[in-house]
C-alpha cells in the first residue's frame, strides 16, 4: 500500500467524520485532519482520533476460532467455514429454514447489510433476520414514515442548522455522542437563533442551551402534546400551511387539546411557564426545527412520541420549508444506510417493503430467483433474540454485541447460550463472540472499501487505506464462502464495488434510490444524498440534500398528522421499585464497548460503569461519591460506583450501557416493546437503589 494519505471516514458514529489515514513505517496508521469534509471540517472526537488502535493485532482476532471441548481454539478458515455451513444446514434440515436466524448491525457498510439480507433470504431461505438498528432509530423511522411517507433521518444537511431560528433538541446529548456537531449549534446561537434542550439530566449539551427542560423520563409524549395545546390556545398555528400541505389536523388537534398545560406539568414535572417559553421561542422566528435522538425514541411509545413532535412541526408550518423541519439524529456509523437495504425483518433493498408484491418481483429479478421463493417478514430484534434456543436454533451474527446491548441482557445471554449453534463474525472477541461455536476474524473500516450513509442521508465512500493483517478475511468473503458451501455459487461477490453495482439496480425505483450513485462520483463529490435516481444527463442526478420542499412523499404530496395521546411508561415506579432508571452514553466509549474498551486512552477517560444520582437520593442511601451502589429492577441487579450530581432529577438515576459484568446496565432494562417500531424501553424502567457493603 502507498505511503500517502487516503481520505476516508471514522468507523464509529453516524456523523461519519472525514479523516485522512497514512500508514507509518512501523505498521501503525496515522490519522490526520481532513478539512474538506463539511460535516466535521477536520475535527474528530477522541474515539475517532484513536480508532487506529483497534487495527493493531494486539487487541484483535487474527485467526478463526472453533469450539472444541468447551473452549475456543484456533482453526483454519476451511475448518471454521465448514463448521458454520454444517451447523446452519443441520438446523435447516432438522427444523426448517426459519430455525436459522441472522442478526446484523447498523455499523455494517451498505454492501455488507445488503449482502447479509440477501444471504438470509436467498441462501438460508429464512425470514428470521433483523439487526441492532431496531434498538436505535426504529421509532423515529416509523414516525417519519407515517408522517412524511419517507424515512431519512435528517431531511436537510447539518449545515442548515445554524440558519434556523430555533432548534429543540429532544433527548440528544450530542456534545458527548457527536462532539464535532456541536459547532452547528454554537453557530446557530452566534447567528441569533436559540437552542432548547429537553433532557432529564443537565448534560454537556444541556449546558449549551438557552432553555433546558428537565422532564421525568418517559413523558416526552405528554410534553409535546402540551406544547401543541398551547400553540392552538395562543393562536400560533399556520392555517394556510395546514390546509395546503397536510391531512388529519382535526383529529390530532382534538387529541392534543385534552393535554392541558397544568396536566402536562403534573406528568412531566416541567413548569407551565417553561412550556409557554418553549412555544414562544419555537414559534416566533421565521424557521425552526425539532431534532430527536434516543431519549424520546427508546420508549415503548417512541413512535407516538415522534408523531407528537412532528405534529407540532406540522401545525406551525415547520416541515418541508427552508431551515425548518423534523429530523432524527441517527446513531451508528451506517445507521441510515443499514436500515435501507434489507437486513430489517420486513424489508427489501431500496427501503422496499417485503410484503409488497411489486417490490418482491423487482428484487427477485435482480437476484435471479423466483419471487415466491422469498420468505415473508420475520421477527423484530428483541423478539428474535428472545426466540433463540426455542424457535430459532442457529444464529449467524455480524456487527452487534447483544450480550451487552440488548434489553434484559441476562435473559438474552441465556437464550444465546441455549442455541444449538452460534457463529459470530467480529474484529475482536466480544462478549457475544466468546459464546460462539465458531468465530471468524474480519477486516474493518481502514482495511476495506465500502459505502456508508451518514445521518444526513449523505452516501459516502470509505476507502481502503491499509492492508489487513494476515489470516483475516472480509465479511463479504465470508458470505461468499458460506453461500458457496450451502449450494449458491453465484451472486455473492467479494468486491464491494461489484456489490454496490447490484445494490444500485436493486434500489432503483425504490424510496431509497441509489441507482444514480457510483463509487467514482462518491470519491469526486465528497458524498451524494439519496434519493439519487439514474438519469440520462451526462453529469447525472445531483442527489437530494433537502427533502419535502415542494411535496411530502405520500402519493397526494401531503404530510399526515397522527392523532396521539399520552400514555404511561410500561413500568411505573411503585413502593418496591420507587426510582426511574434511564440509560445512555458517555463520550469516550462506544456502544457495547467491544471496540473502545480496547483503547487505553479511552479507558483512562471512562474506565467503567457508574450510577449517576441526585444528592438527595444519595443521602437517603448514605452513599458518598464513588461508593458502590446497587440498582435493582424486576430483571436483575447491577452494581457500580455512585456519581453524585445536581444535574439529574431526584427521582431518576442514570447508567451508561457500555460495560459487561456486574455494572451491566442492561441487566436492568425493560424489554417492553413499542407496538409499531418494536423498540424496547431502554430509557425508563422502575428500580430501587440500595447501598452495598464492601
Ligand atoms: N460516545 C458515544 N457516541 C455515540 C455512541 C456511543 O455509544 N458513544 N453511539 C452512537 C449511537 S448508535 C447512537 S444511537 C447515538 C445516541 O445519541 P444520544 O441519543 O445523544 O445518546 P443517549 O446517551 O443514548 O441519549 C441521549 C440523552 O437522552 C436522555 N434521556 C434519557 N431518558 C430520556 C427521556 O425519557 N426523555 C428525554 N427527552 N431524554 C432522555 C439522556 O439523559 C441522554 O442525555 O450516539 C452515537 N454516538
Ligand atoms: N441500556 C441501553 N442499551 C442500549 C442503548 C441505550 O441507549 N441504552 N442503545 C441501543 C442502541 S441505539 C444501539 S445502536 C445498540 C448498539 O449495540 P451493539 O449492537 O452491541 O453495538 P456495537 O457495540 O457497536 O457492536 C458492534 C459489534 O460488531 C463489531 N464490528 C464492528 N465493525 C464490524 C464489521 O464491519 N463487521 C463485523 N462482522 N463486526 C463488526 C464490533 O467489534 C462489535 O463487537 O445498543 C442498544 N442498547
Ligand atoms: S463524532 Fe463520531 S464519526 Fe466523528 S470522530 Fe467521533 S465517533 Fe467518529
Ligand atoms: Mo444507536
Amino acid at each position: 500500500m502507498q505511503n500517502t494519505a487516503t481520505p476516508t471516514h471514522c468507523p464509529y458514529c453516524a456523523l461519519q467524520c472525514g479523516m485522512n489515514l497514512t500508514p507509518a513505517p512501523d505498521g501503525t496508521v496515522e490519522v490526520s485532519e481532513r478539512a474538506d469534509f463539511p460535516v466535521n471540517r477536520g475535527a474528530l472526537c477522541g474515539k475517532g482520533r484513536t480508532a487506529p488502535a483497534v487495527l493493531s493485532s494486539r487487541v484483535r482476532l487474527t485467526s478463526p476460532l472453533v469450539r472444541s471441548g468447551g473452549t475456543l481454539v484456533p482453526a483454519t478458515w476451511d475448518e471454521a467455514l465448514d463448521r458454520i455451513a454444517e451447523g446452519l444446514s443441520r438446523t435447516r434440515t432438522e427444523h426448517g429454514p426459519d430455525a436459522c436466524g441472522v442478526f446484523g448491525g447498523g455499523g455494517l457498510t451498505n454492501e455488507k447489510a445488503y449482502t447479509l439480507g440477501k444471504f438470509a433470504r436467498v441462501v438460508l431461505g429464512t425470514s428470521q433476520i433483523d439487526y441492532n438498528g431496531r434498538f436505535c432509530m426504529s421509532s423515529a423511522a416509523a414516525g417519519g414514515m407515517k408522517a412524511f411517507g419517507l424515512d431519512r433521518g435528517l431531511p436537510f444537511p447539518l449545515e442548515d442548522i445554524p440558519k434556523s431560528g430555533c432548534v429543540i433538541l429532544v433527548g440528544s446529548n450530542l456534545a458527548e455522542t457527536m462532539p464535532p456537531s456541536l459547532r452547528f449549534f454554537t453557530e446557530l446561537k452566534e447567528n441569533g437563533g436559540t437552542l432548547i434542550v429537553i433532557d432529564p439530566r443537565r448534560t454537556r449539551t444541556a449546558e449549551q442551551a438557552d432553555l433546558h427542560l428537565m422532564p421525568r423520563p418517559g413523558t416526552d409524549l405528554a410534553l409535546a402534546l402540551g406544547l401543541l395545546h398551547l400553540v392552538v390556545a395562543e393562536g400560533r398555528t399556520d392555517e394556510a400551511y395546514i390546509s395546503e400541505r397536510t391531512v388529519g389536523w382535526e383529529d390530532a388537534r382534538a387529541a392534543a387539546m385534552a393535554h392541558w398545560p397544568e396536566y402536562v406539568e403534573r406528568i412531566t414535572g416541567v413548569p407551565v411557564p417553561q412550556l409557554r417559553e418553549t412555544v414562544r421561542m419555537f414559534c416566533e422566528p421565521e424557521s425552526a426545527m425539532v431534532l430527536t435522538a434516543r431519549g424520546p425514541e427508546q420508549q415503548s411509545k417512541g413512535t407516538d412520541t415522534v408523531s407528537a413532535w412532528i405534529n407540532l412541526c406540522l401545525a406551525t408550518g415547520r416541515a418541508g420549508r427552508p431551515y425548518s423541519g423534523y429530523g432524527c439524529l441517527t446513531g451508528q456509523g451506517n445507521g441510515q444506510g443499514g436500515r435501507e437495504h434489507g437486513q430489517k425483518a420486513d424489508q427489501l433493498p431500496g427501503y422496499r417493503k417485503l410484503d409488497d408484491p411489486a417490490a418482491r418481483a423487482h428484487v427477485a429479478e435482480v437476484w435471479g430467483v423466483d419471487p415466491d421463493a422469498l420468505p415473508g417478514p420475520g421477527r423484530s430484534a428483541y423478539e428474535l433474540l428472545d426466540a433463540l434456543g426455542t424457535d430459532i436454533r442457529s444464529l449467524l451474527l455480524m456487527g452487534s454485541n447483544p450480550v451487552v446491548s440488548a434489553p434484559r441482557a441476562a435473559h438474552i445471554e441465556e437464550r444465546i447460550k441455549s442455541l444449538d449453534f452460534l457463529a459470530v463474525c467480529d474484529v475482536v472477541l466480544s462478549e457475544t463472540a466468546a459464546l460462539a461455536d465458531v468465530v471468524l476474524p474480519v477486516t474493518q473500516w481502514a482495511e476495506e472499501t465500502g459505502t456508508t450513509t451518514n445521518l444526513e442521508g449523505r452516501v459516502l465512500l470509505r476507502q481502503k487505506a491499509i492492508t489487513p493483517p494476515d489470516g483475516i478475511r472480509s465479511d463479504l468473503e465470508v458470505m461468499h464462502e458460506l453461500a458457496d458451501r450451502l449450494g449458491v455459487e453465484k451472486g455473492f461477490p467479494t468486491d464491494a464495488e461489484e456489490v454496490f453495482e447490484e445494490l444500485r439496480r436493486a434500489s432503483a425505483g425504490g424510496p431509497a434510490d441509489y441507482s444514480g450513485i457510483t463509487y467514482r462520483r462518491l470519491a469526486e463529490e465528497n458524498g451524494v444524498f439519496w434519493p439519487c435516481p439514474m438519469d440520462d444527463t451526462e453529469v447525472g442526478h445531483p442527489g437530494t440534500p433537502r427533502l419535502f420542499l415542494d411535496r411530502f412523499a405520500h402519493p397526494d404530496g401531503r404530510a399526515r398528522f397522527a392523532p396521539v395521546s399520552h400514555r404511561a411508561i410500561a413500568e411505573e415506579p411503585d413502593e418496591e421499585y420507587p426510582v426511574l432508571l434511564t440509560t445512555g452514553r458517555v463520550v469516550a466509549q462506544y456502544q457495547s464497548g467491544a471496540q473502545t474498551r480496547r483503547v487505553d486512552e479511552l479507558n483512562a477517560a471512562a474506565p467503567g460503569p457508574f450510577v449517576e444520582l441526585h444528592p438527595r437520593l444519595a443521602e437517603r442511601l448514605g452513599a458518598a461519591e464513588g461508593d458502590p451502589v446497587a440498582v435493582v429492577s424486576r430483571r436483575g441487579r447491577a452494581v457500580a460506583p455512585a456519581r453524585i450530581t445536581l444535574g439529574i432529577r431526584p427521582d431518576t438515576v442514570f447508567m451508561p450501557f457500555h460495560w459487561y459484568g456486574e455494572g451491566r446496565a442492561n441487566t436492568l432494562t425493560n424489554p417492553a416493546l413499542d407496538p409499531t417500531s418494536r423498540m424496547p424501553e431502554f430509557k425508563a424502567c422502575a428500580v430501587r437503589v440500595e447501598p452495598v457493603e464492601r
Side-chain angles (χ1 to χ4, degrees):
M1 195 85 347
Q2 75 280 33
N3 260 29
T4 52
T6 306
T8 190
H9 297 273
C10 177
Y12 299 122
C13 87
L15 220 48
Q16 285 298 286
C17 293
M19 57 169 71
N20 285 319
L21 289 182
T22 315
D26 64 354
T28 60
V29 193
E30 269 169 33
V31 176
S32 60
E33 192 171 297
R34 182 179 161 202
D36 69 321
F37 188 60
V39 172
N40 63 313
R41 293 192 218 146
L44 296 171
C45 79
K47 296 184 298 302
R49 207 171 18 78
T50 59
V54 190
L55 297 166
S56 99
S57 55
R58 191 175 58 83
V59 299
R60 68 190 293 191
L61 293 165
T62 48
S63 161
L65 303 173
V66 300
R67 194 163 293 278
S68 159
T71 50
L72 285 169
V73 296
T76 65
W77 272 94
D78 277 336
E79 279 169 335
L81 289 163
D82 288 346
R83 278 276 282 271
I84 300 178
E86 269 165 39
L88 293 171
S89 21
R90 183 167 324 118
T91 294
R92 203 168 47 172
T93 314
E94 287 174 9
H95 304 280
D98 275 354
C100 293
V102 177
F103 200 88
L108 301 177
T109 59
N110 290 314
E111 292 78 2
K112 294 179 186 186
Y114 171 85
T115 305
L116 193 64
K118 181 178 177 183
F119 182 86
R121 274 103 184 194
V122 173
V123 179
L124 299 176
T126 181
S127 65
Q128 300 300 307
I129 172 169
D130 210 48
Y131 80 123
N132 67 6
R134 184 75 65 175
F135 298 157
C136 188
M137 31 36 64
S138 58
S139 295
M145 194 64 117
K146 272 195 208 176
F148 307 126
L150 188 73
D151 157 43
R152 196 184 86 185
L154 291 180
F156 40 69
L158 287 165
E159 67 198 47
D160 281 8
I161 288 172
K163 299 180 187 143
S164 189
C166 173
V167 178
I168 307 185
L169 264 182
V170 194
S172 160
N173 184 13
L174 53 79
E176 296 210 45
T177 52
M178 301 179 178
S181 73
L182 195 58
R183 176 174 57 83
F184 296 104
F185 299 86
T186 13
E187 284 173 12
L188 164 79
K189 296 204 298 176
E190 284 162 13
N191 293 345
T194 53
L195 176 64
I196 302 172
V197 170
I198 302 179
D199 195 307
R201 301 188 302 138
R202 186 158 181 84
T203 58
R204 289 187 204 170
T205 313
E207 279 167 10
Q208 306 294 318
D210 298 287
L211 179 62
H212 174 206
L213 312 185
M214 271 178 114
R216 192 168 173 266
T219 62
D220 301 83
L221 178 50
L223 186 68
L225 289 163
L227 297 175
L228 185 51
H229 178 112
L230 283 171
V231 162
V232 175
E234 295 177 6
R236 296 183 186 268
T237 51
D238 185 337
E239 296 297 330
Y241 173 96
I242 292 174
S243 71
E244 277 161 33
R245 300 203 56 184
T246 71
V247 290
W249 171 228
E250 279 315 310
D251 290 345
R253 179 180 182 282
M257 291 321 280
H259 297 75
W260 290 88
E262 294 72 18
Y263 168 64
V264 169
E265 174 177 323
R266 267 205 311 281
I267 297 174
T268 62
V270 178
V272 175
Q274 285 191 1
L275 298 174
R276 290 195 188 280
E277 181 61 3
T278 304
V279 166
R280 190 191 63 74
M281 286 164 70
F282 185 70
C283 292
E284 279 184 356
E286 188 80 348
S287 55
M289 297 173 172
V290 172
L291 303 178
T292 65
R294 300 309 80 78
E297 299 169 14
Q298 288 174 327
Q299 300 183 14
S300 62
K301 53 178 177 294
T303 305
D304 283 359
T305 303
V306 164
S307 294
W309 285 105
I310 294 176
N311 286 351
L312 182 72
C313 291
L314 294 177
T316 52
R318 292 171 176 324
R321 279 183 168 167
Y323 316 121
S324 282
Y326 164 79
C328 144
L329 297 163
T330 294
Q332 297 183 82
N334 195 28
Q336 181 66 51
R339 78 204 207 212
E340 299 165 357
H341 299 297
Q343 61 176 332
K344 255 165 100 176
D346 57 351
Q347 187 197 57
L348 288 170
Y351 223 128
R352 288 185 154 93
K353 297 291 288 176
L354 190 50
D355 56 9
D356 167 7
R360 293 171 69 89
H362 173 85
V363 175
E365 204 197 326
V366 174
W367 288 353
V369 298
D370 177 355
D372 294 332
L374 293 177
R379 289 180 177 84
S380 76
Y382 180 77
E383 292 162 295
L384 191 159
L385 295 171
D386 190 35
L388 299 181
T390 51
D391 292 355
I392 301 175
R393 316 292 314 182
S394 287
L395 182 72
L396 172 65
L397 184 136
M398 197 176 268
S400 181
N401 185 13
V403 163
V404 177
S405 57
R408 196 185 171 197
H411 167 73
I412 293 306
E413 190 171 355
E414 285 313 308
R415 298 317 323 147
I416 290 174
K417 285 181 184 159
S418 74
L419 279 164
D420 294 345
F421 183 79
L422 172 65
V424 175
C425 300
D426 207 314
V427 301
V428 293
L429 192 69
S430 71
E431 287 78 6
T432 309
L435 303 178
D437 298 288
V438 182
V439 183
L440 298 178
V442 291
T443 47
Q444 38 178 325
W445 62 294
E447 301 160 348
E448 56 186 19
T449 293
T451 62
T452 59
T453 306
N454 85 342
L455 79 173
E456 307 166 285
R458 192 194 299 254
V459 185
L460 301 165
L461 186 62
R462 267 203 208 147
Q463 309 213 54
K464 176 171 175 171
I466 55 163
T467 314
D470 286 341
I472 288 178
R473 296 191 189 175
S474 74
D475 291 306
L476 292 179
E477 285 174 278
V478 168
M479 288 185 276
H480 171 89
E481 289 292 330
L482 290 178
D484 195 43
R485 281 170 171 75
L486 292 163
V488 181
E489 283 148 33
K490 280 214 184 93
F492 289 86
T494 57
D495 175 64
E497 188 168 3
E498 207 179 314
V499 176
F500 190 80
E501 288 299 310
E502 185 181 306
L503 181 159
R504 288 177 63 194
R505 283 186 283 125
S507 76
D513 192 331
Y514 282 41
S515 59
I517 305 176
T518 59
Y519 270 30
R520 189 183 50 74
R521 278 191 68 178
L522 291 178
E524 285 169 4
E525 297 173 34
N526 232 340
V528 176
F529 290 80
W530 71 259
C532 179
M534 185 90 107
D535 70 14
D536 322 322
T537 62
E538 208 172 297
V539 284
H541 186 285
T544 317
R546 293 173 185 82
L547 295 168
F548 312 140
L549 290 177
D550 302 323
R551 61 194 310 282
F552 295 100
H554 286 298
D556 60 6
R558 288 162 179 264
R560 304 286 186 269
F561 279 98
V564 291
S565 294
H566 183 66
R567 58 181 191 272
I569 56 176
E571 189 183 60
E572 281 288 350
D574 54 20
E575 260 178 35
E576 216 183 331
Y577 300 97
V579 175
L580 280 167
L581 167 73
T582 192
T583 59
R585 299 164 161 79
V586 297
V587 64
Q589 296 290 352
Y590 189 70
Q591 313 275 63
S592 73
Q595 291 153 285
T596 49
R597 280 188 274 118
R598 285 168 171 86
V599 181
D600 296 340
E601 184 183 328
L602 299 176
N603 280 333
F610 56 86
V611 180
E612 197 175 286
L613 75 174
H614 192 273
R616 240 186 279 162
L617 180 54
E619 197 186 342
R620 242 185 290 149
L621 299 175
E625 177 76 13
D627 283 355
V629 293
V631 183
V632 186
S633 80
R634 288 186 177 82
R635 272 87 35 211
R637 173 188 168 93
V639 177
R643 190 175 284 188
I644 302 169
T645 168
L646 284 165
I648 189 166
R649 293 173 54 92
D651 59 4
T652 302
V653 295
F654 168 84
M655 288 181 78
F657 79 99
H658 310 292
W659 290 272
Y660 183 67
E662 72 169 3
R664 175 173 66 183
N666 276 319
T667 301
L668 306 166
T669 47
N670 186 1
L673 301 182
D674 178 283
T676 309
S677 66
R678 319 304 284 167
M679 164 72 85
E681 192 138 77
F682 286 116
K683 288 294 191 264
C685 72
V687 295
R688 83 176 163 257
V689 189
E690 299 170 343
V692 175
E693 296 300 324
R694 276 278 153 96

